[in-house]
C-alpha cells in the first residue's frame, strides 16, 4: 500500500482545477493519489460575469460591473477548502500544494485546520504569515519587476475584484508574458481561454494571523520559479524567510527555472518536487 499523503492541488487567481491536469498525470505515474480542486469563485465554483459575455462587448460595463465573487475572503475560501479536504482525505491529512494567490487560502487553512494538512507546498505562492495581508507585498521592494498589475481592466475598489479581460487579443502577448512565458503557444492559448476574469480582493486584502502552535507545526516546502513575472523571485525568497520565522522546521526549497506556471511548462519537474514531499509528517 502507498502510505504517502494524498495530494490536494490548489490553483491561484483566475485559474481553476484544470490547470493541474498535467501534474496530476505525472503524479499518477508515480502512484500518488491527487485531486485538483476549484476554490470558491473559480472554475465550477465561479459565477458568471455578465459583461464578459455581452455582445457587442462593452468595455465600460466590464470595468464597472460589481463582481459576483466580491466578499470571498481567504478565511471563507479556506473553510470551504477544509470541507473538501475532509472528503478527499477520508479522515487522513493531505499534502496541500498551493499556487500563487491560492497560497493565501492555504495559509489560512493551515491555521484553521492544521489536522487536515500533513504538509504544505507553496508553488511561487503568496504566503502572508507576517500579519500583513497578501496585498501588502505588492508594495514591497521585492515585488519590483512584476508585470501583473498592468493587466487589470477595472479598479478593484470599484468592482471588488482583480479583473482582467483575457479575451482582449491586444493583451494576449502581455498575458502570456506574465503567466506563461515558457509555455508553448498552443498550450498558453488554451489556458488563456479558460481563465476566469475575477479574483476576489477579499482574499489578498485579509490580514491573516498564524501561530507557531498551529500553522507552524505543519511541515512546509516552497517551489521557487526563477522566471516568474507575477510573483518575482525576490518576493518568493522573502516569503520563505517569513515562513521559517514561524515554523518548527526549515522550509524545504526546490528551485525551478520556470515561469509563473510550471504546472504547464514543467509538469514532470514539479511533480517530482511534490512527490518528494508526500512523506512529510507533522512535527508537533
Amino acid at each position: 500500500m502507498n502510505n504517502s499523503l494524498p495530494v490536494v492541488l490548489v490553483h491561484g487567481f483566475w485559474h481553476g482545477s484544470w490547470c493541474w491536469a498535467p501534474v496530476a498525470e505525472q503524479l499518477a505515474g508515480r502512484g500518488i493519489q491527487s485531486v485538483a480542486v476549484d476554490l470558491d469563485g473559480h472554475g465550477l465554483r465561479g459565477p458568471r460575469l455578465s459583461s464578459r459575455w455581452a455582445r457587442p462587448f462593452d468595455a465600460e460595463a466590464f470595468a464597472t460591473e460589481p463582481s459576483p465573487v466580491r466578499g470571498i475572503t481567504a478565511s471563507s475560501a479556506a473553510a470551504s477548502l477544509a470541507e473538501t479536504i475532509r472528503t478527499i482525505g477520508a479522515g487522513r491529512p493531505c499534502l496541500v500544494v498551493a499556487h500563487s494567490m491560492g497560497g493565501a487560502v492555504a495559509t489560512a487553512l493551515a491555521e484553521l485546520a492544521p489536522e487536515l494538512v500533513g504538509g504544505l507546498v507553496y508553488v511561487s505562492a503568496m504566503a502572508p504569515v507576517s500579519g500583513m495581508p497578501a496585498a501588502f507585498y505588492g508594495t514591497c521592494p521585492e515585488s519590483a519587476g512584476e508585470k501583473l498589475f498592468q493587466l487589470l481592466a477595472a479598479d478593484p475598489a470599484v468592482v471588488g475584484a482583480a479583473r482582467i479581460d483575457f479575451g482582449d487579443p491586444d493583451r494576449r502577448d502581455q498575458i502570456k508574458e506574465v503567466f506563461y512565458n515558457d509555455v508553448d503557444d498552443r498550450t498558453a492559448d488554451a489556458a488563456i481561454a479558460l481563465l476566469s476574469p475575477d479574483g476576489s480582493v477579499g482574499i489578498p486584502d485579509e490580514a491573516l494571523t498564524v501561530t507557531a502552535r498551529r500553522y507552524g507545526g505543519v511541515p512546509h516546502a516552497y517551489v521557487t520559479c526563477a522566471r516568474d513575472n507575477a510573483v518575482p523571485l525576490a518576493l518568493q525568497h522573502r516569503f520563505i524567510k517569513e515562513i521559517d520565522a514561524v515554523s518548527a522546521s526549515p522550509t524545504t526549497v526546490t528551485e525551478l527555472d520556470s515561469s509563473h506556471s510550471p504546472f504547464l511548462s514543467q509538469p514532470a519537474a514539479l511533480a517530482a518536487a511534490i512527490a518528494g514531499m508526500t512523506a512529510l509528517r507533522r512535527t508537533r
Side-chain angles (χ1 to χ4, degrees):
M1 176 181 289
N2 189 336
N3 292 319
S4 63
L5 295 172
V7 175
V8 175
L9 302 166
V10 181
H11 62 83
F13 264 5
W14 308 293
H15 290 70
S17 56
W18 55 266
C19 72
W20 287 107
V23 172
E25 179 180 309
Q26 292 289 328
L27 291 172
R30 293 171 173 269
I32 297 171
Q33 173 194 354
S34 69
V35 180
V37 299
D38 286 322
L39 292 176
D40 289 352
H42 292 80
L44 293 176
R45 294 175 179 262
R48 182 176 184 269
L49 182 68
S50 298
S51 59
R52 181 186 186 186
W53 301 107
R55 294 295 179 270
F57 179 76
D58 185 336
E60 182 177 355
F62 187 77
T64 56
E65 180 184 353
S67 176
V69 305
R70 66 191 185 282
I72 295 174
T73 66
S75 293
S76 67
S80 295
L81 180 58
E83 291 306 309
T84 300
I85 290 176
R86 286 189 177 96
T87 299
I88 294 170
R92 298 177 62 196
C94 294
L95 179 71
V96 177
V97 181
H99 176 248
S100 197
M101 194 58 75
V105 177
T107 297
L109 170 72
E111 180 67 22
L112 172 70
E115 71 280 3
L116 298 178
V117 186
L120 175 53
V121 181
Y122 294 100
V123 180
S124 195
M126 306 299 286
V129 301
S130 69
M132 301 301 294
F136 160 78
Y137 292 92
T139 68
C140 295
E142 293 88 349
S143 285
E146 67 79 25
K147 300 179 180 181
L148 176 59
F149 289 115
Q150 66 187 10
L151 296 177
L152 295 183
D155 182 346
V158 171
V159 301
R163 178 171 296 168
I164 299 175
D165 179 8
F166 293 108
D168 182 352
D170 293 334
R171 288 292 186 92
R172 182 268 181 194
D173 290 346
Q174 286 180 285
I175 293 166
K176 185 176 188 295
E177 179 65 17
V178 171
F179 295 111
Y180 311 124
N181 60 65
D182 63 343
V183 178
D184 67 89
D185 284 342
R186 182 196 63 78
T187 303
D189 286 340
I192 292 169
L194 291 168
L195 294 170
S196 301
D198 282 4
S200 172
V201 295
I203 293 177
D205 283 354
E206 182 180 6
L208 301 173
T209 299
V210 302
T211 62
R213 182 176 64 87
R214 296 177 69 81
Y215 174 90
V218 174
H220 301 94
Y222 201 108
V223 179
T224 63
C225 298
R227 289 189 276 164
D228 196 328
N229 290 324
V231 182
L233 185 60
L235 183 56
Q236 298 171 49
H237 286 157
R238 174 169 177 166
F239 283 131
I240 293 167
K241 291 179 181 178
E242 293 184 354
I243 294 167
D244 284 346
V246 294
S247 297
S249 56
T251 301
T252 300
V253 179
T254 301
E255 299 177 349
L256 294 181
D257 184 25
S258 80
S259 69
H260 188 57
S261 304
F263 42 79
L264 297 181
S265 64
Q266 299 186 30
L270 182 53
I274 294 168
M277 308 302 172
T278 56
L280 289 173
R281 292 294 185 271
R282 287 181 60 84
T283 56
R284 65 186 183 197

